Amino acid sequence: MEETLLQSKELYKSYNTGKTIVPVINGINLTLYKSDFTVIMGSSGSGKSTLLYLLSGLEVPSSGEIWLEDKPVHTLDEKMMTLIRRKYIGFVFQDFNLVPNLTFLENILIPAYLVKNDRQQIKDRALDLMQKMKIKDLKDRLPSEVSGGQQQRCSMARAIINNPDLVMADEPTGNLNSSSSEAVLDILSELNNKGQSIVMVTHEVKSACRANRIIFLRDGHIEDDLRFDKDLKFEEKEVQLLKWLAGKDW
Ligand SMILES: Nc1ncnc2c1ncn2[C@@H]1O[C@H](COP(=O)(O)OP(=O)(O)OP(=O)(O)O)[C@@H](O)[C@H]1O
Ligand SMILES: [Mg+2]
């Protein structure tokens, strides 16, 4: 029996733009399990990023509940949620969200300095991650001095520096060429093989095949939920996923 990691109940979110109220998440009941690699797919504007923000407590729902194991995310104040996120959740933002006046290396170090004391060990790990992502040479650059793809990899290193139980990655390969994409996906797969849970938004079939479960969002609700059989080879997953997606107009 799988253990529940994160659960949403009757989750709703709408934005008030001043003129109109835009409903974005429309009653999502979702259970995510420990050690799963879950992918969220769906067309642009279907609510994928908003759902990740809600699940990680970065956005407050309009109504409904979110439980991270036994912790009621929907009732926790920002301070408490920040502490929990720092320790348990790594977040890769679709638009990177790096601190503009900190170097690449500093951006990666900050979340680790906030939870651990051994600075040398932290720095070694940061440089090791940068090496793996092929951005080590850029360690002293500011985010504005590098490409989007390089910022994306820096954002990835920052998300995993604390070895979080859960990594949420919003299109982490959206700006990368295929070899950099593979490097980032390999890191996520490696973490997942060690038992860490991954939730990743992607629109790429090949990237999605890293997962064992795919959720399809449409207009802020879950339209479909696919689980791959355990023993499927990558190519078999790809065929199955393409078939599954072919039935959806997106
Ligand atoms: N702060 C906001 N104020 C008003 N509307 C918003 C806000 N944030 C998101 N939306 C709207 O909510 C809907 C869902 O946005 P979201 O970013 O979650 O979509 P997405 O599925 O991640 O899309 P994409 O694939 O383009 O990243 C969109 O219609 C968007 O315009
Ligand atoms: Mg998005």
Side-chain angles (χ1 to χ4, degrees):
M1 193 54 201
E2 286 182 301
E3 272 183 85
T4 297
L5 172 70
L6 195 53
Q7 197 165 36
S8 78
K9 296 178 185 170
E10 288 301 307
L11 191 64
Y12 285 84
K13 176 73 182 177
S14 42
Y15 288 105
N16 190 341
T17 63
K19 287 187 216 116
T20 47
I21 292 181
V22 187
V24 176
I25 297 295
N26 300 309
I28 289 193
N29 293 294
L30 173 65
T31 303
L32 297 174
Y33 299 97
K34 277 188 195 168
S35 307
D36 263 3
F37 191 142
T38 307
V39 150
I40 301 174
M41 300 186 91
S43 50
S44 178
S46 58
K48 305 179 297 295
S49 296
T50 307
L51 180 60
L52 281 197
Y53 289 156
L54 291 167
L55 293 175
S56 62
L58 284 163
E59 281 274 6
V60 180
S62 303
S63 66
E65 297 180 5
I66 299 154
W67 293 83
L68 176 61
E69 298 189 36
D70 57 349
K71 297 181 248 327
V73 172
H74 55 290
T75 66
L76 299 177
D77 63 22
E78 212 174 305
K79 220 173 177 178
M80 188 66 196
M81 202 51 227
T82 304
L83 291 176
I84 292 175
R85 218 175 12 249
R86 213 172 265 162
K87 222 166 163 189
Y88 300 104
I89 305 177
F91 204 103
V92 186
F93 292 86
Q94 190 168 9
D95 52 3
F96 326 128
N97 216 10
L98 298 169
V99 183
N101 56 348
L102 296 182
T103 67
F104 253 31
L105 180 60
E106 288 164 345
N107 262 286
I108 298 169
L109 293 175
I110 292 298
Y113 283 173
L114 292 169
V115 297
K116 279 196 208 100
N117 289 322
D118 189 339
R119 297 215 159 193
Q120 191 54 50
Q121 195 189 14
I122 291 168
K123 196 167 173 197
D124 290 346
R125 176 163 160 78
L127 289 171
D128 183 50
L129 286 173
M130 292 183 102
Q131 171 96 33
K132 273 193 186 154
M133 313 241 196
K134 305 190 187 85
I135 51 169
K136 197 172 167 187
D137 295 346
L138 307 172
K139 69 182 173 55
D140 299 319
R141 300 261 194 108
L142 295 172
S144 58
E145 297 168 338
V146 302
S147 74
Q150 289 161 341
Q151 291 185 61
Q152 188 152 49
R153 279 172 282 161
C154 180
S155 162
M156 177 75 181
R158 177 183 61 179
I160 64 176
I161 183 92
N162 285 339
N163 244 320
D165 291 343
L166 169 61
V167 178
M168 293 202 183
D170 196 351
E171 306 239 20
T173 60
N175 294 277
L176 304 182
N177 64 21
S178 63
S179 90
S180 300
S181 286
E182 288 299 308
V184 163
L185 293 167
D186 283 348
I187 287 169
L188 290 175
S189 295
E190 206 178 290
L191 294 176
N192 185 237
N193 289 335
K194 284 194 284 181
Q196 284 159 276
S197 314
I198 314 287
V199 182
M200 175 175 84
V201 171
T202 184
H203 59 267
E204 297 152 9
V205 169
K206 276 213 153 50
S207 305
C209 288
R210 299 284 183 140
N212 60 308
R213 181 186 183 192
I214 319 272
I215 285 159
F216 192 88
L217 275 196
R218 189 187 302 278
D219 301 332
H221 70 266
I222 295 176
E223 183 178 274
D224 213 345
D225 189 342
L226 172 73
R227 238 172 209 292
F228 291 122
D229 280 339
K230 254 209 177 98
D231 314 314
L232 285 190
K233 292 198 195 76
F234 191 88
E235 295 72 28
E236 295 169 321
K237 281 181 165 182
E238 204 176 349
V239 170
Q240 191 181 350
L241 181 55
L242 281 169
K243 252 190 212 156
W244 190 73
L245 289 170
K248 310 186 189 314
D249 178 26
W250 69 300

